[in-house]
Amino acid sequence: MSYQLTIEPIGEVVEVEEGQTVLDACLRAGIYIPYQCNHGLCSTCKVEVLEGEVNLGDASPFALMDFERDEGKALACCCTLESDAVIEADIEEDEDAEYLPIGDFEGTVSELVDLTPDIKAIHIALEGDGIEFQAGQYIQLEIPGVDGPRAFSIANAPQKPTELELHVRLVPDGAGTTYLHEKLNVGDKLSFSGPYGQFFVRKSQNKPMIFIAGGSGLSSPKSMIEDLLAEGCSEKIYLFHGVRGLQDLYYQEYFRDLEQKHGNFTYVPALSEMDAGDDWDGETGFINEAAERYFNGEFKGHQAYLCGPPPMIEASIRSLMKGRLFEKDIFMEKFLTKEDGQEVKKSPLFKRI
């Protein structure tokens, strides 16, 4: 059974299957409602139900408060239809976004590489034309024996649509990442949907770009930087990658090689907790501090892309804003799981941060 969903103010009508979320139906139709966490936690995808009956699903009471429910608000990422309906939504419009429809795919694991003691690269070969995506986007991966998909950023450039690269950090007691690290083999089949996400480079702004990544958060910046360099971007590109010790640093030689080949690309790794015996004469301390030192605390005139653990992102935002770079030029990717629950906080001062 399916229902018709009319989306105002654009007047588009999409079919929504029984049990399918409003957000999923819209994304698969190529209609982008702003969203972030996909778990009913962050309130980014809030819409107003003008007509019809909906099931609000698992919306957090902090993301969707009681008075908002009474006013007919819903979170598109977890609400489902119980009749034909009309909603009003903030439709995403950005000249740099590609708004690619979501699809379902199956691929074969072609290579497994241990990048660090707890980060594994998984390469997935796809048949035909592969998957069209925008650098910075992610997929929702189905893992055998695990309830619900897991989100992983695509680490390769869009110019290679038939060979996906994922960077998977082993999460202690995490069912999904444990399977991928310990049981997955070359030749196994994996299913996923995508592409998801609105983390992409605003190329039309023609500004130098600062990428700040923490740990396995390097995946999206790697894809974005490879894409920019493949297209012949002439703007300055800076990559700051922060990890704990030397054993946690990966792709150092690869980015050093890119730095030699492209005069507009600069790579700055930093270690925050060096182990005894680490042979390292590069930057130390937190990665936002390394960026501050490199730019002498002045970031005005750049745009910044942040990807990594929430504490790193929050510290980087503080550094950037202290250095006169503000919300319109700061973009981030911060995955949230259902287990994050009530820890999710959104600044009352900013729309996206």
Side-chain angles (χ1 to χ4, degrees):
M1 184 175 182
S2 65
Y3 302 105
Q4 284 198 327
L5 175 68
T6 303
I7 305 156
E8 299 295 355
I10 60 175
E12 291 284 348
V13 179
V14 300
E15 291 288 324
V16 183
E17 298 296 325
E18 187 172 13
Q20 182 182 25
T21 67
V22 165
L23 179 62
D24 185 68
C26 290
L27 294 179
R28 288 177 181 274
I31 298 171
Y32 265 66
I33 293 174
Y35 68 100
Q36 186 175 339
C37 77
N38 237 334
H39 298 299
L41 300 174
C42 71
S43 79
T44 305
C45 65
K46 194 175 294 178
V47 299
E48 182 173 0
V49 181
L50 303 178
E51 296 178 21
E53 298 296 322
V54 304
N55 184 324
L56 297 179
D58 242 357
S60 159
F62 293 88
L64 189 66
M65 298 184 181
D66 288 341
F67 77 88
E68 293 178 307
R69 296 167 191 246
D70 293 340
E71 292 175 349
K73 301 292 197 304
L75 300 185
C77 71
C78 54
C79 79
T80 55
L81 299 190
E82 296 182 339
S83 70
D84 291 345
V86 180
I87 64 169
E88 184 171 9
D90 290 327
I91 302 301
E92 187 76 9
E93 292 184 3
D94 191 306
E95 63 179 304
D96 292 302
E98 295 183 10
Y99 303 122
L100 302 169
I102 305 299
D104 297 307
F105 302 86
E106 182 181 74
T108 304
V109 178
S110 58
E111 187 179 10
L112 296 168
V113 181
D114 291 327
L115 299 174
T116 75
D118 65 352
I119 299 175
K120 185 183 291 286
I122 298 174
H123 295 261
I124 304 172
L126 304 178
E127 295 183 356
D129 295 331
I131 177 173
E132 186 178 5
F133 66 94
Q134 192 165 9
Q137 291 191 298
Y138 65 92
I139 63 168
Q140 293 276 13
L141 183 69
E142 300 287 344
I143 302 174
V146 177
D147 183 30
R150 298 295 190 269
F152 295 104
S153 296
I154 302 171
N156 56 285
Q159 288 81 2
K160 297 179 180 179
T162 60
E163 183 77 25
L164 291 192
E165 178 184 353
L166 310 178
H167 297 171
V168 179
R169 182 179 68 85
L170 179 62
V171 177
D173 301 320
T177 61
T178 296
Y179 181 95
L180 296 175
H181 270 255
E182 298 179 1
K183 297 181 180 180
L184 190 67
N185 295 302
V186 171
D188 287 354
K189 299 288 187 181
L190 288 174
S191 298
F192 63 90
S193 60
Y196 293 93
Q198 294 161 300
F199 185 55
F200 54 87
V201 177
R202 274 63 180 180
K203 298 176 182 178
S204 66
Q205 293 189 14
N206 297 316
K207 293 180 180 179
M209 290 154 279
I210 300 169
F211 293 88
I212 303 179
S216 61
L218 181 65
S219 50
S220 285
K222 176 179 177 288
S223 174
M224 297 158 107
I225 290 167
E226 287 179 345
D227 179 48
L228 288 166
L229 295 177
E231 290 184 346
C233 173
S234 59
E235 296 289 345
K236 287 282 190 179
I237 303 169
Y238 304 89
L239 171 61
F240 293 85
H241 185 205
V243 298
R244 295 184 299 273
L246 191 57
Q247 68 171 357
D248 303 307
L249 187 62
Y250 65 99
Y251 276 137
Q252 183 183 184
E253 291 184 9
Y254 173 74
F255 287 115
R256 293 292 184 206
D257 185 56
L258 283 184
E259 196 173 33
Q260 291 296 316
K261 293 177 178 176
H262 301 274
N264 61 325
F265 174 63
T266 300
Y267 169 60
V268 182
L271 309 185
S272 63
E273 300 175 16
M274 282 198 300
D275 297 319
D278 275 355
D279 182 14
W280 181 254
D281 60 0
E283 285 283 348
T284 57
F286 294 119
I287 195 62
N288 61 297
E289 298 169 343
E292 282 191 46
R293 287 191 292 270
Y294 187 91
F295 285 98
N296 294 317
E298 179 60 61
F299 299 104
K300 185 178 180 181
H302 294 78
Q303 46 180 324
Y305 297 88
L306 318 177
C307 190
M312 183 223 81
I313 288 180
E314 290 157 11
S316 296
I317 290 171
R318 288 194 295 270
S319 292
L320 292 167
M321 297 188 75
K322 184 172 67 174
R324 310 299 294 171
L325 194 70
F326 300 115
E327 185 188 13
K328 69 181 181 66
D329 289 313
I330 301 175
F331 308 93
M332 71 197 72
E333 178 182 63
K334 183 165 58 175
F335 285 137
L336 301 172
T337 68
K338 291 182 180 179
E339 286 68 34
D340 289 314
Q342 316 314 333
E343 296 300 315
V344 178
K345 296 179 181 178
K346 191 161 183 165
S347 168
L349 300 178
F350 305 107
K351 183 177 180 181
R352 291 185 293 101
I353 294 177

